[in-house]
Amino acid sequence: MKIAIVCYPTFGGSGVVATELGIALAERGHEIHFVTYRQPVRLEFLNSNIHFHEVHVPEYPLFRYQPYELALSSKLVDTIKLYDIELLHVHYAIPHAYAGYMAKKMLKEDSIYIPMITTLHGTDITLVGNHPFYKSAVTFSINKSDVVTSVSEDLKQKTLEMFDVKKPVEVIPNFIDIKKYSNDYTDCQRSLMAKDEEKIITHISNFREVKRIPDVIKIFYKIQEQMPAKLIMVGEGPEKEHAELMCEELDIVDKVVFLGNSNEIDRILCFSDIFLLPSETESFGLAALEAMINKVAVISSNTGGIPEVNQDGITGFLSDVGNVEEMAKNALYLLKDETLLNTFKENARTVASKFDILNILPLYETVYEKAYNSRYKNSY
Ligand code: GMT
C-alpha cells in the first residue's frame, strides 16, 4: 500500500514508534511517505520505498502563532494527490488527527476517499488532549478518524473515561525490532563508563516533568550510598538543568554522566544493570521495553501502561509513583545479588521479545486493509 505517516520527528516515543513502523512497513514492500516538519531522528536513510516530505510554515508578522495545522493539511492534500497515497496514519492526536481530518475533507471535494488511522500515544490523551482548551477538538478528531488505535490497554481505558469517544479503540502495543538486537555486543566498552566494581544505572527520556527526574536522582543517591555505582542520564529536556543542579547539591557530580540525546541507546543499555523509569504517568514506556530487550532490569512506577511491559518480580519491580524509598530498596536488592540480577535481565529479554515487530506489524496491516476496504463509508 501507499501510506502517508504523520508524526513528530523529534526524540520521543510516538515519533520513534511511527518511524520504526514506517521503516518496517517499507521493508515489507509498502511505499511509505513521512510528512512532518523535519526528517524524523530515527530515519537514517531514504529509498524508493521511504520518502520524506517536509512541512514548511512560512513566518508572517501578523501571526502570533504560526498555523502548523494549516500547512500540514495542505501538504497532506498535495502529497496524497501527487503520489496516489491510499491511506493516512497519524501518530499523536494533537494536532495531527485534526489536520488529517481537514485533508480528508479537502480531498473528498476531488472525489478522493482517504481512510485515516489515528494512533493515540499517551500525553495526547492524558496530559495535553484533556486540557479544556483542546478537549473539544481532540474528541472531534478522534471520532472523525476511521480507525483509532492506542498503544496500551490502560491508555484505551483512559481515552474512554476522559473523552466522549464514539469509535471503538483497538489496542496495538508498541514494539521492538528484535533482529536489530540479535547480536550481543562484545564491544560494550563498559570500562569507558565505569570501573569494574561500579554498577551502572541508566535513565533515558525527554526530561519532561512527567518523567519525575528528581526521583531518578534521589533513587540513585540512595543506591550509591550503599555500593559503588554510576548513573547515566540520556536525553535532553526542560528538567535537565535542575537535575544537574541536584547532583551538585548532593555532591555526586563525579558519579553522574549526562549524555544528551543519542541514537546509540542500545550501546549504552548494553552495559547497564538497572533502568529507572519512575514516571508520573506513562501510556506504555517504550524506553523500558528498549532497556528490557537489551537485558536490563527495570525499576519503575506502576502507573499507566507500564505494568503491561515491566512485570513485577520478574523483569524488575514496580512501586507507587513517588515511592523513591521502595524503588531504591528494590534496586539494591537486585544489585546486591548478581545471580538474581542476571535472572531478571534474562527475563527482561524474554518478556520484551513478545513485543517483536513481527508480531505487531500484521495487526497494523489488518487495520489498514479494513480501513482501506471501507474507504467509501469513511467518517466525514
Ligand atoms: O513523553 C514521552 O515519553 C513522549 C511521548 C510521545 O508521544 O512522544 O511518549 C508517549 O508515547 C510513547 C510511545 O507510544 C509511550 O511509550 C510513552 O509511554 C508515552 N509517554 C507518556 O505517556 C508520558
Side-chain angles (χ1 to χ4, degrees):
M1 283 184 104
K2 293 184 179 187
I3 303 163
I5 293 183
V6 177
C7 64
Y8 283 106
T10 47
F11 284 91
S14 64
V16 168
V17 168
T19 309
E20 301 282 358
L21 177 65
I23 294 170
L25 286 164
E27 277 170 14
R28 278 165 79 108
H30 299 280
E31 188 179 301
I32 304 301
H33 295 257
F34 288 98
V35 185
T36 181
Y37 59 81
R38 202 190 310 136
Q39 183 160 322
V41 285
R42 288 231 183 148
L43 189 63
E44 277 155 12
F45 59 92
L46 302 171
N47 59 34
S48 58
N49 269 354
I50 304 185
H51 306 253
F52 162 60
H53 310 281
E54 189 172 342
V55 180
H56 294 280
V57 187
E59 300 258 328
Y60 189 66
L62 178 69
F63 300 145
R64 182 160 168 204
Y65 307 105
Q66 307 306 317
Y68 181 66
E69 294 89 308
L70 206 66
L72 174 60
S73 56
S74 261
K75 187 75 185 177
L76 281 172
V77 168
D78 298 345
T79 311
I80 287 166
K81 280 184 178 172
L82 191 63
Y83 293 91
D84 293 323
I85 302 234
E86 297 162 295
L87 190 126
L88 172 61
H89 188 170
V90 303
H91 290 260
Y92 207 89
I94 308 167
H96 299 153
Y98 194 73
Y101 173 66
M102 285 315 296
K104 259 176 61 154
K105 287 282 276 184
M106 286 187 262
L107 288 161
K108 190 174 172 242
E109 296 291 306
D110 290 330
S111 303
I112 297 170
Y113 295 84
I114 185 110
M116 177 168 80
I117 296 25
T118 298
T119 293
L120 307 173
H121 279 273
T123 45
D124 46 353
I125 293 299
T126 53
L127 282 182
V128 196
N130 197 30
H131 193 285
F133 294 171
Y134 295 126
K135 198 165 180 172
S136 306
V138 173
T139 311
F140 174 81
S141 33
I142 290 176
N143 284 328
K144 291 294 180 188
S145 304
D146 298 296
V147 178
V148 182
T149 75
S150 103
V151 298
S152 67
E153 189 56 46
D154 182 80
L155 182 61
K156 172 182 171 172
Q157 291 315 324
K158 290 215 168 79
T159 308
L160 298 177
E161 277 162 29
M162 293 174 170
F163 295 84
D164 184 16
V165 173
K166 302 203 164 58
K167 290 264 157 192
V169 178
E170 292 197 33
V171 177
I172 303 187
N174 286 335
F175 51 81
I176 200 100
D177 189 351
I178 204 167
K179 73 173 180 319
K180 290 191 185 160
Y181 302 93
S182 50
N183 298 324
D184 282 341
Y185 282 118
T186 48
D187 61 343
C188 246
Q189 295 188 305
R190 192 185 192 282
S191 56
L192 288 180
M193 277 298 159
K195 300 188 191 102
D196 280 353
E197 67 279 14
E198 283 174 327
K199 294 292 182 195
I200 300 186
I201 320 298
T202 300
H203 171 79
I204 303 174
S205 77
N206 51 21
F207 283 61
R208 297 197 187 279
E209 217 180 316
V210 70
K211 304 292 172 183
R212 295 185 70 97
I213 301 295
D215 284 7
V216 174
I217 310 283
K218 285 180 202 162
I219 298 164
F220 175 72
Y221 185 77
K222 288 176 190 297
I223 294 172
Q224 61 81 44
E225 277 182 318
Q226 302 233 3
M227 57 168 48
K230 272 264 158 69
L231 174 64
I232 303 179
M233 300 285 277
V234 185
E236 295 287 347
E239 290 285 292
K240 190 174 164 192
E241 213 179 301
H242 178 214
E244 285 170 326
L245 216 68
M246 256 183 101
C247 293
E248 274 173 40
E249 281 162 13
L250 293 168
D251 199 19
I252 50 170
V253 177
D254 55 330
K255 294 179 180 174
V256 185
V257 186
F258 288 88
L259 286 184
N261 284 330
S262 171
N263 257 336
E264 293 198 309
I265 52 162
D266 42 338
R267 285 187 176 263
I268 298 160
L269 290 165
C270 143
F271 48 59
S272 302
D273 295 298
I274 295 270
F275 185 78
L276 297 179
L277 192 66
S279 305
E280 182 79 34
T281 165
E282 202 72 64
S283 69
F284 182 89
L286 186 65
L289 183 63
E290 292 186 321
M292 285 162 60
I293 200 71
N294 282 288
K295 295 190 184 170
V296 186
V298 177
I299 298 292
S300 69
S301 49
N302 55 14
T303 182
I306 299 180
E308 294 171 48
V309 182
N310 184 23
Q311 295 186 4
D312 196 35
I314 297 169
T315 60
F317 288 105
L318 296 101
S319 305
D320 290 343
V321 173
N323 193 345
V324 289
E325 280 297 332
E326 190 180 279
M327 291 188 206
K329 206 173 105 216
N330 287 335
L332 282 162
Y333 173 63
L334 285 179
L335 292 169
K336 284 181 176 171
D337 184 339
E338 195 70 30
T339 316
L340 187 67
L341 179 62
N342 283 335
T343 307
F344 272 62
K345 286 180 170 191
E346 289 300 330
N347 292 347
R349 167 107 192 171
T350 309
V351 171
S353 307
K354 294 183 186 144
F355 294 90
D356 185 20
I357 194 161
L358 289 179
N359 299 330
I360 309 298
L361 203 77
L363 305 178
Y364 276 115
E365 286 180 314
T366 306
V367 154
Y368 290 166
E369 261 170 51
K370 211 166 68 185
Y372 184 72
N373 291 336
S374 53
R375 64 191 176 283
Y376 298 114
K377 292 183 236 143
N378 273 350
S379 319
Y380 282 103

